[in-house]
Amino acid sequence: MRKSDLLLLSSVLAIALIVFGICAALYLGKGETVVVRVDGEEYARLPLDEDAELLIEGVNGGTNLLIIKDGKAYISEATCPDLVCVHTGHADELKSIVCLPNRVTVSIEK
Amino acid sequence: MPSDNSKLLIKRIALCGVMTALALVFGYIEHLVPFPIGIYGIKIGLANLVVVVMLYTMNWQSALIINLARIFISFLLFGSATSLIYSLCGGILSFLVMLLIKSIKKPSFSVVGVSICGAICHNIGQILAAIFLLDELRIGFYLPILIAVGALTGTLIGLVALPIIKHPIFKKFKE
C-alpha cells in the first residue's frame, strides 16, 4: 500500500460523503407520494400518509406486496428468489426499493 | 517431448482454468452469503481478487479471459439475462479502468489502488446498467453510497492481493 493509494481512498470517501450530504439535504423529508414503477412505466401513485396495501404485478408474473403504514412504505412479501426488495426495508427520498427480477421500483417523491 | 515453451503454455492454460473455477466458487459463496446490510447489490468482490491477482502475476489477456469466462459461466449456472447485462457492464468497466490505473506511472498506484478503482467502477457500471434498464434516474442516488462502499471493499481485496501477488509460485508461469 502506497501513499497514493491512501490519498485515493480518502479523497474518494470524502467526495462520496459530500455528494451524499448534498443529495440528502436536497431531497430528504420532502417527499410525500409513493410512486411504483414496473419496467420504468408508472404503475401506481399512493399518498404516504394513508395506510394501504398493494399487490404489485411485475414482469414475468412476479409479485411484490407493498405496505404503507405509519408514513413508511416497504415490501413485505415478494415472489422473487433473492428478496432484496424485502431486505431493503423502508423506502425514503434517497433510497428506492428495487426488485430487479420483477423490474419493480418503489420510490418516495414529491 | 514438448518443448519448454509449450510446457509453459500448458501450465498457463491450466492456471487460467483453475483460476476461473476459483473465481466462480468465490462468486457462488458471495451469492450464498449476502452482505447483511439493507443496501441493494453490495458484495465484497471476492471474484475480483482472482482477476486482480492474474492482472499482476500473468498478463491482461489472461485476466480478461478469466473475468469474461466467470461472468458467462455464472450466468449459465445461476443467472438470468438481466443479471448477465449487469455483470458484463460492471465487469468490463471495472477491468478497463483497472488496466488504465495500473499503467499510470505518475502517481503510481499499488495493487490496492487498482483494486479500489476496480471495485468503484464495478458499482458504477452496474448502476449505469440499472438506470438504463429500469429507466429510473433516481437510482443514481445510490451512487455516492456504492462508491464509498466500493472504495472500502476494494481496499480490503487489494490488501489481500498484496501478499498473494508476491508469492513465488507465480514465477513458474513467467518466461
Side-chain angles (χ1 to χ4, degrees):
Chain A
M1 188 138 180
R2 293 179 200 155
K3 225 180 185 175
S4 52
D5 300 325
L6 273 175
L7 202 67
L8 178 76
L9 177 62
S10 45
S11 50
V12 164
L13 285 179
I15 291 169
L17 207 70
I18 291 166
V19 173
F20 182 74
I22 293 170
C23 287
L26 283 178
Y27 290 94
L28 221 55
K30 286 183 184 160
E32 53 250 10
T33 311
V34 183
V35 182
V36 180
R37 290 191 178 82
V38 176
D39 212 3
E41 302 271 328
E42 196 169 307
Y43 178 92
R45 199 172 259 273
L46 302 163
L48 191 58
D49 51 8
E50 277 174 40
D51 291 358
E53 277 186 27
L54 175 69
L55 191 67
I56 306 162
E57 289 169 24
V59 296
N60 304 325
T63 57
N64 305 63
L65 184 63
L66 171 72
I67 309 276
I68 302 174
K69 197 164 184 286
D70 303 329
K72 286 181 170 156
Y74 60 95
I75 302 277
S76 73
E77 284 170 38
T79 56
C80 52
D82 52 11
L83 295 179
V84 167
C85 51
V86 176
H87 297 309
T88 304
H90 303 303
D92 58 41
E93 288 79 356
L94 290 176
K95 191 172 80 178
S96 301
I97 302 173
V98 180
C99 175
L100 291 178
N102 298 347
R103 301 254 188 128
V104 170
T105 64
V106 176
S107 50
I108 311 292
E109 295 175 19
K110 272 189 226 182
Chain B
M1 281 295 284
S3 67
D4 280 355
N5 203 13
S6 70
K7 267 187 190 164
L8 183 70
L9 196 67
I10 293 165
K11 275 185 187 169
R12 284 185 169 184
I13 291 170
L15 181 69
C16 282
V18 170
M19 286 301 201
T20 307
L22 185 62
L24 277 166
V25 171
F26 278 163
Y28 185 60
I29 290 173
E30 283 194 315
H31 180 78
L32 285 181
V33 191
F35 223 54
I37 44 175
I39 307 175
Y40 163 72
I42 289 191
K43 284 181 183 177
I44 305 172
L46 277 176
N48 198 44
L49 177 62
V50 176
V51 178
V52 171
V53 166
M54 288 307 277
L55 202 56
Y56 272 83
T57 56
M58 288 272 277
N59 47 28
W60 67 266
Q61 292 94 333
S62 315
L64 180 62
I65 289 169
I66 288 172
N67 201 5
L68 291 178
R70 172 188 71 82
I71 291 168
F72 278 105
I73 296 171
S74 68
F75 154 66
L76 287 175
L77 290 176
F78 343 96
S80 62
T82 340
S83 71
L84 177 67
I85 299 172
Y86 287 101
S87 312
L88 273 178
C89 286
I92 292 174
L93 185 66
S94 135
F95 186 82
L96 291 177
V97 171
M98 287 198 291
L99 209 58
L100 181 79
I101 299 294
K102 187 172 174 279
S103 69
I104 292 176
K105 290 279 173 284
K106 213 172 173 184
S108 76
F109 294 102
S110 77
V111 62
V112 181
V114 169
S115 167
I116 291 172
C117 293
I120 292 171
C121 289
H122 185 267
N123 292 348
I124 292 176
Q126 295 211 321
I127 285 283
L128 288 180
I131 290 174
F132 184 73
L133 280 179
L134 296 167
D135 199 14
E136 164 77 269
L137 206 62
R138 292 168 55 92
I139 296 172
F141 286 138
Y142 279 128
L143 216 52
I145 304 168
L146 284 185
I147 286 176
V149 173
L152 295 174
T153 60
T155 308
L156 198 70
I157 293 295
L159 288 174
V160 174
L162 212 51
I164 297 176
I165 57 173
K166 286 182 188 145
H167 197 282
I169 196 161
F170 290 107
K171 288 209 180 85
K172 284 189 188 168
F173 302 96
K174 296 249 181 205
E175 287 94 331

